[in-house]
Amino acid sequence: MDLHTQKENIEDANLRCNSCGKLLAKGSKSQMFFEIKCNRCGSINSIFKGIKDQVVITDKEGTILYANPIVESLTGYSLSEILGKKPSLWGGQMPKEFYKEMWHKISVEKVPISVDVKNKKKDGTLYNANLKISPVFGKDNEVSMYVGIETIIE
């Protein structure tokens, strides 16, 4: 690869805020880029390359701030139906104790989790998935939001 091509690859991977254009990240095309919040204008920006799984970002109360387009095909809900709601829209099929323990782990212990869950699509079809949730920490080292990635279990 010559220098000119390398420079183009890096420039192609520059990520800018969707709202104000601020440069958020640089890197190679093959990497996954992720920027949650622009510190200039405060808008939520999430760019995922090469992810075929459902990705959801919530605030610390669990309200959905971002969902990638795959969520629509996996759950049957449109992005407009999902944003501002809780993931219980398609979840909520596990025992109450499961959710109590899950929230304790991610919000009190502040550790990521990986669990198998049963969810329900908009049409009522049940499906199994592996859910990974990681807390995201703000400047004060407190949880500011969560990133969840759900992989369908065939």
Side-chain angles (χ1 to χ4, degrees):
M1 182 182 296
D2 62 51
L3 184 57
H4 181 52
T5 304
Q6 287 176 339
K7 186 173 187 274
E8 285 178 359
N9 282 348
I10 291 170
E11 287 175 358
D12 285 346
N14 287 351
L15 300 178
R16 298 195 174 271
C17 175
N18 297 332
S19 297
C20 72
K22 177 184 179 277
L23 182 64
L24 301 174
K26 277 184 156 181
S28 71
K29 282 180 159 181
S30 63
Q31 292 175 326
M32 175 180 65
F33 298 103
F34 185 72
E35 174 73 18
I36 293 177
K37 195 169 187 179
C38 175
N39 62 11
R40 180 191 294 165
C41 71
S43 72
I44 301 293
N45 294 275
S46 297
I47 301 167
F48 299 90
K49 290 188 176 187
I51 292 185
K52 294 181 173 81
D53 296 324
Q54 173 177 297
V55 178
V56 173
I57 298 172
T58 71
D59 64 14
K60 62 185 178 180
E61 286 79 36
T63 302
I64 299 170
L65 304 172
Y66 170 86
N68 69 343
I70 296 296
V71 174
E72 291 180 304
S73 62
L74 294 181
T75 67
Y77 291 96
S78 70
L79 291 178
S80 63
E81 291 175 293
I82 291 169
L83 296 176
K85 304 289 191 313
K86 308 265 183 180
S88 57
L89 189 62
W90 61 88
Q93 304 303 305
M94 307 297 287
K96 288 182 182 183
E97 188 59 36
F98 170 87
Y99 295 106
K100 183 178 175 182
E101 184 178 332
M102 179 190 82
W103 277 103
H104 180 80
K105 291 267 188 204
I106 62 176
S107 64
V108 176
E109 294 180 29
K110 301 177 185 176
V111 296
I113 62 164
S114 178
V115 294
D116 290 341
V117 295
K118 182 176 296 245
N119 288 335
K120 187 182 339 184
K121 295 182 180 191
K122 186 176 182 177
D123 69 6
T125 305
L126 295 175
Y127 68 94
N128 296 311
N130 177 260
L131 173 63
K132 294 176 178 67
I133 303 175
S134 294
V136 177
F137 301 95
K139 292 180 183 176
D140 58 359
N141 206 27
E142 290 299 315
V143 175
S144 62
M145 54 185 62
Y146 300 97
V147 176
I149 299 176
E150 188 176 281
T151 306
I152 299 296
I153 298 173
E154 301 286 335

